[in-house]
Amino acid sequence: DMVQNLQTYRTPGTPNQGIIRTPKGGVVEKVDPADHSLYRTGVGMLLFLVKHSRPDIANAVRELSKVLDGPSPAAMKEMKRVIKYVLDTKHYGLKIEPEKLKEDKWVLRVFTDSA
């Protein structure tokens, strides 16, 4: 719903953009409590994907995690971008196939498809 109308992205995060905390004494606009909850849920889902199948989004998710306590509308927009990237590239991933050899040793073969 919330990401369907976004354009297609070729990278998981906006290039050269980190999510930086506001300096002490600075004022930044924060999202309302409902969107804050949605932000935390979205980042949690993305962290799960990083751990299990999508290491390519790790840096973008790390940046999003920096403002879990009070995301701005810009952080919310960036989180939606990463989710849209994941949806658009769901055919990406790591293929891992264990193969048992006769000598009772396991060989791990990994195939990747990088764009």
Side-chain angles (χ1 to χ4, degrees), residues 3-16:
V3 295
Q4 287 179 345
N5 296 330
L6 295 176
Q7 70 182 46
T8 300
Y9 298 106
R10 295 184 67 195
T11 60
T14 303
N16 302 317

Side-chain angles (χ1 to χ4, degrees), residues 32-96:
D32 63 49
D35 281 344
H36 189 176
S37 178
L38 184 64
Y39 183 84
R40 286 186 313 223
T41 301
V43 172
M45 175 199 69
L46 292 169
L47 283 167
F48 178 86
L49 290 176
V50 167
K51 181 177 179 183
H52 294 283
S53 64
R54 295 299 300 263
D56 57 323
I57 64 171
N59 192 53
V61 177
R62 178 184 55 83
E63 288 295 320
L64 295 172
S65 298
K66 290 179 180 180
V67 292
L68 280 173
D69 59 337
S72 67
M76 183 66 125
K77 182 178 177 186
E78 193 68 14
M79 188 240 346
K80 290 177 183 178
R81 176 198 168 105
V82 178
I83 291 172
K84 178 68 167 132
Y85 172 80
V86 168
L87 292 172
D88 290 342
T89 60
K90 58 185 163 193
H91 60 282
Y92 288 12
L94 298 175
K95 183 176 181 182
I96 301 172

Side-chain angles (χ1 to χ4, degrees), residues 22-35:
T22 305
K24 288 186 179 181
V27 178
V28 69
E29 182 184 358
K30 294 192 178 179
V31 297
D32 63 49
D35 281 344

